[in-house]
Each structure stands twice: as C-alpha cells, then as structure tokens.
Amino acid sequence: QVQLRESGGGLVQAGGSLRLSCAASGRTFSTYNMGWFRQAPAKDREFVASISRDSIYTNYAESVKGRFTISRDNDENTMYLQMDSLKPEDTAVYYCAARIRSGTYSLLHEYGYWGPGTQVTVSS
C-alpha cells in the first residue's frame, strides 16, 4: 500500500511553467508504475503521463507531448511532472496515482492509489 500527496500547483500565465511533485509514503514506491491524471471542471478525469518503476518507459497524452515531462526519484519516493508552455486548457486538478494492474497505462481503473490532487490554473 502507498499513500500519495501532490504539491506544486498554482496560478500561472499562459506560456509559463510549473513543476508538480507527488510524495509517496512507505518503502514500496519503487515497486509501482506511476501516472499523472487531470480533471477539468465538468469533464472526466483524463490521462496525462505515466512512468515505469525504473523510469525506462514513459508515455504521454497527445495534448501534452513535447510540453510536459514525467520523472521520478525512487530514493526520494517522489514523482514529478514538469509542465512547460502551459495553456489555459491545461487548467485542471492534477492527480498522481500508483498503478496496480498491468493493462493499458492510460486507463483509470489500472490505478489503485490516488492523491487528493493539486489545482493548476493557467490564465490567458
């Protein structure tokens, strides 16, 4: 089992950058493939990015590819999401999640542990 908490959200102008962090409790963080999701008002939660246990494999939603970078530090039990060239449509609550299944990395039901989320607001 793992507990997750996001930080680093805030208000930023379009074109700006933010770095989100996801701190994990416990000594099992390195055994989980991890992901970032986001949910905008009145919209479904959607996949943003994922990273394998050993950081070898990463995947991104088309909407963020080339602008966002996912990474992790297993020694620090922390995952990151570097967000550059932010757009107003990136405004959402961002969640980190630990994957408990081995199917399609972009599907919500693959993930069993979630943080409470952090708000990201991008102004135009």
Short mmCIF file of all heavy atoms in Angstrom, two decimals, residues 12-16 38 62-64 67-68 84-92 94 120-124:
data_model
loop_
_atom_site.label_atom_id
_atom_site.label_comp_id
_atom_site.label_asym_id
_atom_site.label_seq_id
_atom_site.Cartn_x
_atom_site.Cartn_y
_atom_site.Cartn_z
N VAL A 12 -0.66 30.34 -12.96
CA VAL A 12 0.43 30.73 -13.84
C VAL A 12 -0.14 31.29 -15.13
O VAL A 12 -1.25 30.91 -15.53
CB VAL A 12 1.36 29.51 -14.12
CG1 VAL A 12 0.62 28.41 -14.86
CG2 VAL A 12 2.62 29.93 -14.85
N GLN A 13 0.59 32.18 -15.77
CA GLN A 13 0.14 32.73 -17.04
C GLN A 13 0.43 31.76 -18.18
O GLN A 13 1.35 30.93 -18.10
CB GLN A 13 0.84 34.06 -17.32
CG GLN A 13 0.35 35.20 -16.45
CD GLN A 13 0.92 36.54 -16.88
OE1 GLN A 13 2.04 36.62 -17.36
NE2 GLN A 13 0.14 37.60 -16.68
N ALA A 14 -0.34 31.87 -19.23
CA ALA A 14 -0.11 31.05 -20.41
C ALA A 14 1.34 31.22 -20.88
O ALA A 14 1.87 32.33 -20.90
CB ALA A 14 -1.08 31.42 -21.51
N GLY A 15 1.95 30.09 -21.26
CA GLY A 15 3.36 30.11 -21.66
C GLY A 15 4.31 29.85 -20.52
O GLY A 15 5.51 29.62 -20.76
N GLY A 16 3.81 29.88 -19.30
CA GLY A 16 4.65 29.67 -18.14
C GLY A 16 4.86 28.21 -17.82
O GLY A 16 4.43 27.32 -18.57
N ARG A 38 -5.54 14.30 -14.84
CA ARG A 38 -6.10 15.61 -14.54
C ARG A 38 -7.59 15.62 -14.80
O ARG A 38 -8.10 14.83 -15.60
CB ARG A 38 -5.41 16.70 -15.35
CG ARG A 38 -5.66 16.64 -16.85
CD ARG A 38 -4.81 17.69 -17.55
NE ARG A 38 -5.05 17.69 -18.99
CZ ARG A 38 -4.36 18.44 -19.86
NH1 ARG A 38 -3.39 19.24 -19.42
NH2 ARG A 38 -4.64 18.37 -21.14
N GLU A 62 -1.43 12.90 -26.05
CA GLU A 62 -1.05 13.73 -27.21
C GLU A 62 -1.12 15.21 -26.90
O GLU A 62 -0.31 15.99 -27.40
CB GLU A 62 -1.96 13.39 -28.38
CG GLU A 62 -1.65 12.07 -29.07
CD GLU A 62 -0.25 12.03 -29.67
OE1 GLU A 62 0.19 13.07 -30.22
OE2 GLU A 62 0.40 10.98 -29.57
N SER A 63 -2.04 15.60 -26.06
CA SER A 63 -2.26 17.02 -25.77
C SER A 63 -1.10 17.65 -24.98
O SER A 63 -0.99 18.87 -24.95
CB SER A 63 -3.56 17.19 -24.98
OG SER A 63 -3.51 16.46 -23.77
N VAL A 64 -0.27 16.83 -24.34
CA VAL A 64 0.82 17.38 -23.54
C VAL A 64 2.20 16.97 -24.06
O VAL A 64 3.22 17.44 -23.54
CB VAL A 64 0.70 16.96 -22.05
CG1 VAL A 64 -0.68 17.31 -21.50
CG2 VAL A 64 0.99 15.48 -21.86
N ARG A 67 5.54 19.10 -24.21
CA ARG A 67 5.45 20.23 -23.25
C ARG A 67 5.64 19.75 -21.81
O ARG A 67 6.16 20.50 -20.98
CB ARG A 67 4.09 20.91 -23.38
CG ARG A 67 3.81 21.49 -24.75
CD ARG A 67 2.53 22.33 -24.74
NE ARG A 67 1.35 21.54 -24.40
CZ ARG A 67 0.55 21.80 -23.36
NH1 ARG A 67 0.82 22.82 -22.55
NH2 ARG A 67 -0.52 21.04 -23.13
N PHE A 68 5.18 18.54 -21.50
CA PHE A 68 5.27 18.00 -20.14
C PHE A 68 6.32 16.90 -20.09
O PHE A 68 6.51 16.16 -21.07
CB PHE A 68 3.93 17.40 -19.71
CG PHE A 68 2.84 18.40 -19.47
CD1 PHE A 68 2.95 19.73 -19.82
CD2 PHE A 68 1.66 17.99 -18.86
CE1 PHE A 68 1.93 20.64 -19.59
CE2 PHE A 68 0.62 18.88 -18.62
CZ PHE A 68 0.76 20.21 -18.99
N ASP A 84 5.70 22.74 -19.06
CA ASP A 84 6.18 23.94 -19.74
C ASP A 84 5.18 24.37 -20.81
O ASP A 84 4.32 23.58 -21.22
CB ASP A 84 7.55 23.67 -20.37
CG ASP A 84 8.61 23.30 -19.35
OD1 ASP A 84 8.64 23.95 -18.27
OD2 ASP A 84 9.40 22.38 -19.62
N SER A 85 5.32 25.58 -21.27
CA SER A 85 4.44 26.12 -22.32
C SER A 85 2.98 25.87 -21.98
O SER A 85 2.20 25.40 -22.82
CB SER A 85 4.79 25.49 -23.67
OG SER A 85 6.14 25.70 -24.01
N LEU A 86 2.62 26.19 -20.77
CA LEU A 86 1.26 25.91 -20.31
C LEU A 86 0.22 26.71 -21.08
O LEU A 86 0.47 27.86 -21.49
CB LEU A 86 1.15 26.18 -18.81
CG LEU A 86 1.74 25.07 -17.93
CD1 LEU A 86 2.02 25.59 -16.52
CD2 LEU A 86 0.80 23.88 -17.89
N LYS A 87 -0.94 26.09 -21.26
CA LYS A 87 -2.05 26.69 -21.98
C LYS A 87 -3.26 26.77 -21.05
O LYS A 87 -3.38 25.96 -20.11
CB LYS A 87 -2.41 25.83 -23.20
CG LYS A 87 -1.26 25.57 -24.15
CD LYS A 87 -1.69 24.62 -25.26
CE LYS A 87 -0.54 24.32 -26.21
NZ LYS A 87 -0.96 23.38 -27.28
N PRO A 88 -4.19 27.67 -21.31
CA PRO A 88 -5.39 27.74 -20.48
C PRO A 88 -6.13 26.39 -20.41
O PRO A 88 -6.72 26.06 -19.37
CB PRO A 88 -6.24 28.80 -21.17
CG PRO A 88 -5.23 29.70 -21.80
CD PRO A 88 -4.13 28.78 -22.27
N GLU A 89 -6.09 25.62 -21.47
CA GLU A 89 -6.78 24.33 -21.47
C GLU A 89 -6.10 23.28 -20.58
O GLU A 89 -6.62 22.17 -20.41
CB GLU A 89 -6.93 23.78 -22.89
CG GLU A 89 -5.66 23.78 -23.71
CD GLU A 89 -5.54 25.00 -24.61
OE1 GLU A 89 -5.81 26.14 -24.13
OE2 GLU A 89 -5.14 24.81 -25.78
N ASP A 90 -4.93 23.60 -20.03
CA ASP A 90 -4.28 22.72 -19.06
C ASP A 90 -4.85 22.92 -17.65
O ASP A 90 -4.49 22.18 -16.73
CB ASP A 90 -2.77 22.96 -19.02
CG ASP A 90 -2.07 22.59 -20.32
OD1 ASP A 90 -2.42 21.53 -20.89
OD2 ASP A 90 -1.21 23.36 -20.76
N THR A 91 -5.69 23.90 -17.49
CA THR A 91 -6.30 24.16 -16.18
C THR A 91 -7.11 22.96 -15.72
O THR A 91 -8.00 22.47 -16.43
CB THR A 91 -7.21 25.40 -16.25
OG1 THR A 91 -6.40 26.55 -16.52
CG2 THR A 91 -7.95 25.61 -14.94
N ALA A 92 -6.78 22.46 -14.53
CA ALA A 92 -7.44 21.26 -14.00
C ALA A 92 -6.88 20.96 -12.62
O ALA A 92 -5.88 21.57 -12.20
CB ALA A 92 -7.18 20.07 -14.91
N TYR A 94 -4.82 18.22 -10.81
CA TYR A 94 -3.89 17.18 -11.23
C TYR A 94 -3.71 16.16 -10.11
O TYR A 94 -3.50 16.54 -8.95
CB TYR A 94 -2.55 17.80 -11.61
CG TYR A 94 -2.58 18.45 -12.97
CD1 TYR A 94 -3.28 19.64 -13.18
CD2 TYR A 94 -1.93 17.87 -14.06
CE1 TYR A 94 -3.33 20.22 -14.44
CE2 TYR A 94 -1.97 18.45 -15.31
CZ TYR A 94 -2.68 19.63 -15.50
OH TYR A 94 -2.73 20.20 -16.75
N VAL A 120 -4.17 23.37 -10.73
CA VAL A 120 -3.35 24.14 -11.66
C VAL A 120 -4.29 25.03 -12.47
O VAL A 120 -5.24 24.53 -13.08
CB VAL A 120 -2.55 23.22 -12.61
CG1 VAL A 120 -1.88 24.04 -13.69
CG2 VAL A 120 -1.53 22.42 -11.82
N THR A 121 -4.02 26.32 -12.44
CA THR A 121 -4.83 27.28 -13.18
C THR A 121 -3.92 28.09 -14.09
O THR A 121 -2.95 28.70 -13.63
CB THR A 121 -5.59 28.22 -12.24
OG1 THR A 121 -6.40 27.45 -11.34
CG2 THR A 121 -6.48 29.17 -13.02
N VAL A 122 -4.23 28.08 -15.38
CA VAL A 122 -3.44 28.80 -16.37
C VAL A 122 -4.30 29.93 -16.93
O VAL A 122 -5.35 29.68 -17.53
CB VAL A 122 -2.97 27.87 -17.50
CG1 VAL A 122 -2.06 28.62 -18.46
CG2 VAL A 122 -2.25 26.65 -16.93
N SER A 123 -3.85 31.15 -16.73
CA SER A 123 -4.62 32.31 -17.20
C SER A 123 -4.13 32.72 -18.59
O SER A 123 -2.97 32.58 -18.94
CB SER A 123 -4.46 33.47 -16.23
OG SER A 123 -3.11 33.88 -16.17
N SER A 124 -5.06 33.25 -19.35
CA SER A 124 -4.73 33.66 -20.74
C SER A 124 -4.25 35.09 -20.79
O SER A 124 -4.34 35.83 -19.82
CB SER A 124 -5.95 33.47 -21.63
OG SER A 124 -7.04 34.20 -21.12
#
